Amino acid sequence: MMTIIDSQYFPSIPYLSYIKASDEIWIDAKENFVKQTYRNRCYILGPNKVQPLSVPVKNGNRKIPMDEILIDYKHDWIKDHWRSITTAYNKSPFFEYYEPYIHDILHRKPERLLELNQDIMSFCLKVLNIDTKVNLTNKYESGEKGQIEDMRSKIHPKKDYICSKIKDPIPYPQLFGQEFAAKLSVLDLLSNTGPESDNYL
């Protein structure tokens, strides 16, 4: 059975855990963009609270396929994201090892959101030692006939984990806060646990 999942910006930890546990995944390049999801946002833990980072896109209110969604660079959001990421993690034990790669990915300024997310995915697969085969779809799969395992929007910032393969993250050391913050970006895991991140997943 074909497993289809949405594309994510600096993916959430449960998302990457799910991918690591799979043999092959198809990222939906042809679904319409959905607002207020991980497709163009992630969450990091800063000195004061959990902070969302959102990539602005053009015409996000319209029904436009993911592989056609353009990033809006009218505002210097890259500067804002980079400042927030470094403020959150520059004192963490492992951020310095990943910092140049994350910086380069953000500052390449690709035209399309999917291209940015795929650059991030390639980075994640490498540093987390994930050998899952990850593909892009070339047409929209509705899944109406039960021929696919549809994971699109199942891992969502406003939803509980409803798939049996996805559980709340196990706590790991974090730099800020007295209580463990779940549903964060892989940036938090890498910065705080470094080479143990793949074992954690």
Side-chain angles (χ1 to χ4, degrees):
M1 180 177 288
M2 183 180 188
T3 301
I4 298 183
I5 202 165
D6 47 294
S7 174
Q8 291 194 4
Y9 172 66
F10 284 114
S12 64
I13 297 168
Y15 175 94
L16 288 169
S17 181
Y18 181 83
I19 289 178
K20 189 175 180 69
S22 305
D23 294 323
E24 184 173 17
I25 288 282
W26 291 81
I27 292 177
D28 196 339
K30 295 298 182 180
E31 66 165 356
N32 287 335
F33 172 75
V34 183
K35 296 191 303 179
Q36 297 185 359
T37 65
Y38 290 123
R39 288 165 179 81
N40 70 321
R41 69 176 57 195
C42 70
Y43 292 82
I44 62 173
L45 182 60
N48 300 314
K49 60 181 179 179
V50 173
Q51 179 180 356
L53 301 179
S54 180
V55 178
V57 298
K58 297 179 180 180
N59 300 316
N61 293 321
R62 300 179 184 176
K63 292 183 177 180
I64 300 177
M66 269 296 294
D67 61 353
E68 296 179 20
I69 284 287
L70 301 177
I71 298 173
D72 190 346
Y73 288 104
K74 284 189 296 185
H75 172 71
D76 192 1
W77 62 268
I78 295 175
K79 181 179 179 181
D80 294 340
H81 283 208
W82 185 244
R83 183 191 300 116
S84 296
I85 291 169
T86 53
T87 298
Y89 299 118
N90 63 0
K91 293 183 180 179
S92 63
F94 299 102
F95 178 68
E96 64 179 304
Y97 298 104
Y98 307 106
E99 180 178 4
Y101 304 102
I102 298 167
H103 178 277
D104 288 350
I105 289 171
L106 278 176
H107 288 82
R108 285 176 195 152
K109 300 184 71 171
E111 183 181 23
R112 300 175 189 275
L113 176 63
L114 186 63
E115 184 182 350
L116 172 61
N117 288 359
Q118 286 301 102
D119 282 348
I120 294 169
M121 175 59 72
S122 296
F123 163 74
C124 290
L125 295 177
K126 183 176 181 179
V127 298
L128 294 168
N129 298 314
I130 297 175
D131 57 9
T132 303
K133 186 176 181 182
V134 179
N135 317 284
L136 287 177
T137 61
N138 55 22
K139 64 177 181 177
Y140 179 73
E141 301 283 351
S142 66
E144 293 178 354
K145 297 181 180 179
Q147 297 173 339
I148 67 170
E149 182 176 9
D150 192 349
M151 290 298 296
R152 291 169 291 199
S153 291
K154 294 293 193 299
I155 302 171
H156 191 287
K158 297 182 180 180
K159 294 180 182 178
D160 292 329
Y161 306 125
I162 62 174
C163 175
S164 61
K165 294 182 181 179
I166 301 172
K167 298 177 174 63
D168 288 325
I170 300 168
Y172 57 84
Q174 292 176 326
L175 205 58
F176 303 107
Q178 296 181 347
E179 295 183 2
F180 177 74
K183 298 188 178 182
L184 296 182
S185 164
V186 67
L187 291 171
D188 191 79
L189 181 66
L190 287 171
S191 297
N192 287 303
T193 67
E196 290 299 314
S197 297
D198 59 336
N199 293 329
Y200 174 88
L201 293 179

